[in-house]
Amino acid sequence: MRSLPGIPRAPALAAALVAAAITMAGAAAAQPVARTARAPQGPEDGGGAASAAEPGATPLRGSLGVPVAERLLASSDPEARLRGIERLGAIGTEEAVNALLAALEQGAPGARDPKARLAAVRALAPHAARDSVRQLLARELSEGGAAARSAASPLGDLLRGTAALALARSGDRRALGALVNAIVQGGAAGEAAARALKAYPPASLQLLLGSRKRLEPALVAFLGELGDLRAIGALRPMLEGGDRASQVAAARALARLGDEAALAKARAWLRSPEPGLLEATAEILVHLGAPEAPDAVAALLGSDRARLLEGLRLAELAPSARLVPALARALPLLPEDARPRAIAAIGRAGGAQAARELRRLVERPELATAAAFALATTPGAEARAAVAELIEGARAASDADHRRLGLRAGVVRGLVLGDAPDALEGRLLAALAAPRGSSDRAAGVFGAVALGLRDAADVVGACSPASCDRAAVHAAARGALARGERALAGLAPLFAELAAPGGGGAAPGGDDVAPDAAAISAGVALLAAPGGGAVATSRLAALAEAGGPLAPLAARALAARDDEVIRNRLKRLLEGSDPVVRAHVALGLGSDPMPDSVSLLARAYRFEDDPAVRRAIVRGLSRRTEVQRGRVLAEARDLDPDEGVRALARTALSDVPRPRARGRDVPRPALATGVVWVAIVPNDRSAAASASARPARLVRPDGVAVPVVADPDGVLLVPGVPPGVSSVLLAPAAPPGDSGP
């Protein structure tokens, strides 16, 4: 019997015994003849219960046990079937497991429903060592994703990954064998199996290798990625025996494990080059830190286009000043979207030659932004001098674009390295005197605020429909991101005024729902006020439902104000098509004053296919104190295919939740020093105006969305970004007139 959340099992068991006693007492009253009590065996619950109880009495097993779950599984209602699966999983007896397996047989309703199959895989995970369960999980690993996709469901990867984790977590030899077979076969199933075995490494490598006389290259490669040094003994003999493909795979795996047995082989291949061995040789030398590694990578960068990207990857993995000339020569041959990576690799290589090469690349308009950013983030006096030349050089006096490029590079250098050129402060303050609405003034405002020379609220001043330097608002708001929550909180009054209908922040044309770009920029104040501050709840709801850059933060604030009136709107947002908005609703529910919001989070987690949203749900649950959070967090910790979700769940279960009190958000200083630099370049010169003051949504690596608006020249500098991968989504178009003074 499954106990209700928050109620200990002992009282529940006592209640069950009382109910059983009542049922038996009713039977005895109907038939006073003394007899030995026995389990009923009626058609629904195993025997003739009707003959042993008075009419209308229902035995406990028929009310709460497997038969009820089986009736739910036979229902035409998908939600009823899910309840049946979860009931059987909670019972966990052999009879319940068999019923679950039967529910997934060919032709059963559950077999055609990806949600039911996912719920069943989670319920069967504790029983993965059983032959029948293991076979079903192996089938879901190899076929479940394709079947789910054929049913127009996005749950294929989630289903496959969950099945793989269930097999790996069991530690059973035959379950591990199924995962190894998937790795050998490759494809999506092989990738899921490899991730699962990394999450749950086997107690013994022999469980993986089994009785194999020959290790397939895919399995050898996985052993290198697994990082288990016990594999070295099985891999070393392969360096000399077998075919060349096996030797290469073993050498690569040993290099990943840090074993220098592969070094002699790689050096021999380098001395006597063979077709197709250059990539493997370079990778081995890089992983082992060999002095020949830069030369091998340079050879890759100088070879055919098919090997260029591999050479670039290795150059990023092991920066070296010796690679600067090869990277520069490879630039014209690389795909256009890979050139910024090569320029960044030149910067990471460092040294005087790298600074000179980057300074030369700044003169090429199509590469100028990437080169300036690389210069700004490259340590050393040479790079610092190159940035200073951009600011003070002869060209800066006559070329406004070049001057702004230098100012922005200097600000980035000051933010990232704390090594801004001496002339930067004076140049920034001079730019503040440029005309209102100009790109020069916007660059000056951003730098002055970001470096703490001016306060964001003071620079912006009043902003009304009649008079508002929107370019300054955009720049100051982004600059405040570098100064922490206290600086962002200073923009809260401006945002509350602009966000209100008719308050100056409505888009031209009289639309009271869609905010103009000034309100979007000032919306960064919501980062310091997760509860929405002074903005009306109705306005937050309208902003959240309207979409656009402000929608995620507005949705987070709305969820933190949850009550009976807005609950249905939150449910719609939590089930909406925008995963970023869904994630922010989940984050807001973590601070929701309504205790039953934990149920919303638990329900949202069940079939959420986007890993970023599941991370946000787990973050939200980590802020809750209700006992119901435990089951979901344990499931996420054990069976979620996303490594980030599992890590967050582990932390949440090991920490005591400390929810933030509503209305008591204390501003904190900025901790992240990362900067994102984006130049919006229209595909057609005739559309240049569309890049000016373009609203956008930047999603940071921690999943938080930041509303931003570009400068009049289409440049977006966003500081205060944690390490990791960020994404930028431009709004469809800039509202007309927003870039003007």
Side-chain angles (χ1 to χ4, degrees), residues 254-283:
L254 287 168
R256 284 181 175 271
L257 294 172
D259 183 56
E260 293 193 354
L263 190 56
K265 183 68 70 174
R267 283 172 171 163
W269 291 336
L270 191 63
R271 288 191 299 269
S272 304
E274 296 183 29
L277 285 184
L278 183 56
E279 294 180 33
T281 302
E283 180 182 340

Side-chain angles (χ1 to χ4, degrees), residues 63-81:
S63 299
L64 302 176
V66 174
V68 173
E70 290 176 327
R71 288 197 296 271
L72 290 171
L73 286 173
S75 171
S76 60
D77 179 10
E79 282 298 321
R81 293 199 297 267

Side-chain angles (χ1 to χ4, degrees), residues 473-504:
V473 174
H474 308 331
R478 284 185 281 106
L481 293 168
R483 308 309 303 171
E485 292 185 3
R486 193 171 300 279
L488 295 171
L491 294 171
L494 176 64
F495 175 64
E497 178 184 354
L498 293 175

Side-chain angles (χ1 to χ4, degrees), residues 452-481:
L453 306 177
R454 290 289 187 273
D455 183 73
D458 294 340
V459 171
V460 170
C463 187
S464 66
S467 175
C468 183
D469 185 353
R470 290 183 171 85
V473 174
H474 308 331
R478 284 185 281 106
L481 293 168

Side-chain angles (χ1 to χ4, degrees), residues 139-154:
R139 186 171 73 245
E140 293 295 347
L141 171 63
S142 60
E143 302 175 2
R149 284 196 299 273
S150 67
S153 170

Side-chain angles (χ1 to χ4, degrees), residues 371-515:
F373 187 77
L375 272 176
T377 54
T378 299
E382 298 89 351
R384 186 175 188 272
V387 173
E389 184 187 355
L390 290 177
I391 298 173
E392 300 180 278
R395 185 176 171 185
S398 58
D399 187 336
D401 292 340
H402 191 85
R403 180 171 62 249
R404 289 193 299 273
L405 188 71
L407 287 177
R408 287 162 174 152
V411 173
V412 171
R413 190 171 186 85
L415 292 172
V416 175
L417 300 178
D419 186 30
D422 295 335
L424 179 62
E425 180 176 341
R427 299 289 182 178
L428 287 174
L429 297 179
L432 289 176
R436 288 164 58 91
S438 67
S439 297
D440 284 350
R441 185 165 192 267
V445 167
F446 170 79
V449 172
L451 295 176
L453 306 177
R454 290 289 187 273
D455 183 73
D458 294 340
V459 171
V460 170
C463 187
S464 66
S467 175
C468 183
D469 185 353
R470 290 183 171 85
V473 174
H474 308 331
R478 284 185 281 106
L481 293 168
R483 308 309 303 171
E485 292 185 3
R486 193 171 300 279
L488 295 171
L491 294 171
L494 176 64
F495 175 64
E497 178 184 354
L498 293 175
D511 185 352
D512 280 345
V513 175

Side-chain angles (χ1 to χ4, degrees), residues 482-566:
R483 308 309 303 171
E485 292 185 3
R486 193 171 300 279
L488 295 171
L491 294 171
L494 176 64
F495 175 64
E497 178 184 354
L498 293 175
D511 185 352
D512 280 345
V513 175
D516 78 349
I520 291 173
S521 284
V524 296
L526 290 175
L527 292 169
V535 181
T537 299
S538 59
R539 185 57 176 160
L540 288 173
L543 292 172
E545 293 171 344
L550 269 178
L553 290 183
R556 183 179 72 166
L558 185 68
R561 297 182 181 185
D562 179 26
D563 58 23
E564 293 85 352
V565 176
I566 63 173

